[in-house]
């Protein structure tokens, strides 16, 4: 790959940002990485000031939704050194999503070297406060034009970043979905396709209107198997066993999910990767064996669920002194921020 050209902003916004009160993904760093696919190949990425992009209304992204993304983070350790967490997994998954959406796969160097070059330019934007990080959002979408329903002939890959604060979800109340589906057999549920989210917003709003925060997705066929928690993978703990569903066409292969499984196995926590049903967790809740339920994903790492609703009844999870979920969150964030030994070789320095 040729050297990445860098055009720096002449008007950095960094001094206008309140790093003590960052939300999630709402302020954006000074620069972005852009790479174009034209004439059958990906070009050399460039770093430019964060700015609007111009597209024709005939660009296929607007018509046929060829659009995918990734989500990852960069962390500062106590010595202000920058680390990434399993970025190779994000790269692999981006291309898994690309293939399913008929988007040309991206060369590894564009992703890895492009990402590192961007982080070096915007290194000041990586927050140092405890629990905060730089959220990284790679996106890839069709810029090629035409109303013909077929894959575009031009695409854009962009990485933009957002300094984000510590994420406290509070007492999350979820509704087990019995009508709508996030994904189907043979569909695109395993891909990080923008459209998967578009389809979730309406059922999620219906759940919010009923007083819940999020939907728990069940299988599209019977609505009996628990599959994902909003845009996170889901875990339950029954007695001392941690259970999560197997990845499939319908369940996204989350990096947080697989990191939890590896850490739990290393600690001798009993884990089962198997299908589990709504009936099973309702029964477990009634007989007191359901101890924990949590979502797992890059943004929150682990998001404990306090209550789940099913068929007009709310089931409450017990308030525990030492939940395994929070312990696993600490294990992961300690590795991410270089506070603990990296047994698995997950941490990558900038
Ligand atoms: C991104 C995502 C996850 C979590 O994946 P991580 O790699 O852990 O961030 C889970 N489910 C869905 C549907 C997702 O889009």
């Amino acid at each position: 790959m040729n050297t990445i050209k860098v055009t720096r902003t002449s008007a950095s916004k960094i001094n206008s940002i309140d790093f003590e009160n960052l939300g999630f993904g709402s302020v954006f760093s000074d620069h972005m990485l852009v790479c174009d696919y034209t004439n059958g190949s990906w070009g050399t990425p460039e770093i430019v000031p964060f700015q609007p992009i111009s597209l024709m209304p005939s660009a296929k992204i607007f018509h046929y939704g060829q659009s995918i993304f990734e989500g990852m983070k960069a962390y500062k350790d106590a010595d202000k050194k920058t680390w990434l967490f399993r970025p190779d997994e994000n790269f692999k998954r981006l291309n898994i999503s690309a293939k399913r959406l008929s988007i040309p796969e991206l060369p590894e160097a564009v992703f890895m070297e492009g990402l590192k070059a961007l982080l070096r330019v915007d290194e000041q934007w990586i927050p140092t406060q405890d629990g905060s990080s730089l959220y990284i959002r790679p996106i890839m979408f069709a810029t090629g034009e035409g109303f013909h329903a077929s894959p575009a002939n031009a695409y854009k890959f962009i990485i933009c970043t957002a300094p984000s604060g510590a994420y406290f979800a509070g007492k999350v109340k979820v509704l087990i979905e019995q009508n709508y589906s996030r994904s189907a057999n043979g569909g695109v549920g395993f891909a990080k396709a923008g459209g998967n989210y578009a389809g979730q917003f309406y059922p999620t709003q219906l759940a919010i209107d009923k007083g819940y925060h999020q939907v728990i997705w069940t299988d599209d066929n019977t609505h009996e198997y628990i599959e994902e928690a909003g845009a996170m993978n889901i875990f339950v703990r029954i007695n001392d066993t941690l259970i999560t569903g197997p990845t499939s066409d319908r369940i996204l292969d989350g990096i947080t999910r697989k990191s939890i499984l590896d850490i739990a196995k290393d600690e001798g926590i009993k884990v089962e990767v198997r299908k589990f049903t709504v009936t099973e967790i309702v029964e477990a809740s009634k007989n007191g064996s359901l101890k924990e339920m949590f979502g797992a994903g890059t943004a929150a790492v682990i998001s404990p669920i306090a209550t789940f609703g099913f068929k007009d009844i709310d089931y409450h999870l017990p308030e525990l002194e030492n939940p395994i979920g929070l312990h696993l969150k600490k294990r992961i964030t300690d590795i991410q921020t270089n506070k603990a030994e990296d047994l698995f070789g997950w941490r990558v320095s900038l």
Side-chain angles (χ1 to χ4, degrees):
M1 193 172 77
N2 296 329
T3 1
I4 297 173
K5 186 177 156 207
V6 179
T7 309
R8 284 178 183 267
T9 179
S10 55
S12 174
K13 298 174 301 233
I14 199 157
N15 290 327
S16 69
I17 307 299
D18 178 3
F19 277 84
E20 299 297 330
N21 292 295
L22 295 166
F24 176 76
S26 49
V27 293
F28 306 100
S29 317
D30 279 334
H31 299 89
M32 62 185 187
L33 181 93
V34 182
C35 186
D36 285 304
Y37 178 94
T38 49
N39 301 320
S41 65
W42 286 101
T44 304
E46 262 191 66
I47 291 170
V48 296
F50 185 72
Q51 62 189 285
I53 47 179
S54 164
L55 292 176
M56 286 304 213
S58 46
K60 288 197 178 186
I61 168 68
F62 302 125
H63 304 267
Y64 304 120
Q66 277 179 292
S67 181
I68 57 173
F69 67 96
E70 268 303 320
M72 55 203 295
K73 285 173 169 177
Y75 312 84
K76 286 273 194 197
D77 68 16
D79 299 324
K80 306 256 180 336
K81 189 170 155 57
T82 301
W83 298 93
L84 290 160
F85 184 70
R86 310 187 77 176
D88 50 315
E89 293 286 341
N90 293 96
F91 168 69
K92 275 190 245 159
R93 193 171 60 192
L94 181 78
N95 276 344
I96 289 170
S97 301
K99 188 172 176 190
R100 181 63 183 82
L101 277 279
S102 277
I103 296 173
E105 291 174 38
L106 190 76
E108 185 162 8
V110 172
F111 188 92
M112 289 299 173
E113 291 171 35
L115 173 62
K116 289 184 175 180
L118 177 67
L119 293 180
R120 282 188 200 107
V121 169
D122 275 341
E123 197 160 8
Q124 300 296 330
W125 285 85
I126 307 172
T128 53
Q129 287 79 357
D130 218 27
S132 63
S133 57
L134 186 74
Y135 185 78
I136 302 166
R137 179 47 71 82
I139 55 176
M140 211 150 112
F141 55 92
T143 54
E145 293 174 53
F147 292 158
H148 189 256
S150 58
N153 61 4
Y155 296 85
K156 226 180 235 312
F157 171 68
I158 293 179
I159 304 179
C160 41
T161 67
S164 296
Y167 191 105
F168 300 108
K171 296 204 168 204
V172 179
K173 202 175 158 186
V174 299
L175 180 65
I176 297 184
E177 182 59 58
Q178 290 297 292
N179 294 305
Y180 296 95
S181 302
R182 191 191 79 87
S183 59
N185 284 326
V188 299
F190 65 93
K192 274 188 114 69
N196 284 341
Y197 286 74
Q200 289 185 219
F201 293 157
Y202 177 66
T204 303
Q205 187 56 48
L206 296 180
I208 291 169
D209 293 344
K210 288 185 185 163
Y212 297 90
H213 300 103
Q214 219 10 296
V215 163
I216 298 294
W217 298 105
T218 48
D219 71 290
D220 61 306
N221 189 23
T222 64
H223 292 292
E224 180 57 20
Y225 294 96
I226 306 263
E227 301 210 318
E228 292 211 52
M232 289 185 280
N233 293 114
I234 187 163
F235 284 78
V236 295
R237 173 158 75 90
I238 296 180
N239 290 322
D240 289 330
T241 306
L242 212 48
I243 305 167
T244 191
T247 56
S248 66
D249 279 6
R250 302 189 307 265
I251 300 183
L252 191 123
D253 188 2
I255 297 161
T256 316
R257 173 187 174 280
K258 59 180 149 202
S259 304
I260 289 172
L261 291 175
D262 286 346
I263 291 174
K265 280 177 203 156
D266 174 63
E267 291 200 3
I269 297 169
K270 272 184 259 166
V271 288
E272 289 178 6
V273 176
R274 63 162 172 90
K275 293 183 174 184
F276 62 100
T277 62
V278 186
T279 312
E280 184 177 359
I281 64 161
V282 166
E283 287 308 313
S285 175
K286 285 182 182 162
N287 69 26
S289 59
L290 182 67
K291 307 294 184 195
E292 288 182 60
M293 208 165 152
F294 56 83
T298 296
V301 187
I302 277 169
S303 178
I305 293 165
T307 301
F308 70 91
F310 177 62
K311 297 208 166 138
D312 298 324
I313 299 175
D314 280 348
Y315 297 85
H316 302 286
L317 278 289
E319 294 203 18
L320 305 177
E321 292 244 324
N322 295 305
I324 287 181
L326 283 190
H327 168 71
L328 292 169
K329 177 173 181 171
K330 184 170 173 2
R331 282 289 315 267
I332 292 182
T333 51
D334 281 356
I335 294 173
Q336 289 168 335
T337 54
N338 195 23
K339 284 183 192 151
E341 192 192 344
D342 179 18
L343 289 178
F344 305 94
W346 289 338
R347 210 158 47 213
V348 174
S349 73
L350 184 60

